[in-house]
Every structure is written in C-alpha cells, then in structure tokens.
Amino acid sequence: MIQRIQTVYLLVAGLVIFGLFLFPYVNYSDLVGLGKNVKVTGVYGVAAGQPVHEGGFGYILQTIVTVLLGLLPIFTIFKFKQRKVQLLLIWVEIVAIIFFAIWLYSSASTHLTTVNQFLGAGNIGVGFFLLPISIIFCALALGGVRRDEKLIRSADRLRA
C-alpha cells in the first residue's frame, strides 16, 4: 500500500485540501480600509487591535465539505485492494473538487459584492490555487492506479 506512488499522491491531495483551513481564498480591504481574509471557516479581520471572526451557516457548510474532501483521498488509499473502487473514488473526488471550487468562487463573488468590490487578481488568495493542485495530484494518482491495473492484467495473462 505505502510503496505505491498513488498513495503518496492521494495523501498529498488530501493534505492540500486541508490547507484551505490555513490559507484564505480571498483577501480584500473593507469599506473602512481594514484588511480581511475569507477562509472556509469564515471571514477574519482585525478591529480595534483585536482579531475578529465572522462566520455563518454557509461557512459551516464549507468547513464540513472541506473536511469531507480532505478525508476522501485518504480513505481511497485504504481501498488499495479494490482498484476499480479506487478509480471511482478518485473521479468522485475530482468532480467534487470542481463543484467545490465553483461554490467557493460564487461565495467569494457574493461576499465581495456586499462590500462593493469585485473578484479580481488582486483579491485571490492562496486557497484558490490549492484546489487545482489537489486535482492535479488526484489525476496523478488516477494514472498510478491505472498503471497498477494494467500490470495486474498483464500478469494475469501470463498466468493463464
């Protein structure tokens, strides 16, 4: 299990998704000029020298989905004996990450519209770049599982 390269790729993909808890996906200055960061757990800023956290139901859902998306590749590692299930789970992860990215984009656009700003290159945080990186690692893991499947099929032909 651990000697397979797709195990490393899936582990990195899960850790990159968990990086959304550390890095904001949007940075902006509010109407007063104070810098704020939007993470999956809420909006973070500073008011009167004290850290301020604004949350809501949408951010709770984003947190739950982030945890699930981070755990799915790690769960997929333990399905190493069922390569077809592994392939399916990796595809589900890739599609779920794409939908999650769309959700984060619409959430960021909506949030910035409330403070009379628009989502642009200056507002994008590191978190937005973590999602494509995790998709790349999932795609690499997909290739590794397919190579294993091909190797097993060729070995079965030699045995038969």
Side-chain angles (χ1 to χ4, degrees), residues 150-160:
K150 186 177 176 183
L151 181 67
I152 296 297
R153 274 191 266 131
S154 69
D156 287 345
R157 277 194 301 260
L158 291 174
R159 281 189 227 131

Side-chain angles (χ1 to χ4, degrees), residues 84-105:
K84 293 194 187 301
V85 173
Q86 246 187 346
L87 288 172
L88 177 69
L89 288 174
I90 292 171
W91 276 113
V92 166
E93 174 77 10
I94 290 171
V95 170
I97 290 172
I98 290 169
F99 283 124
F100 186 59
I102 293 169
W103 182 23
L104 288 181
Y105 175 79

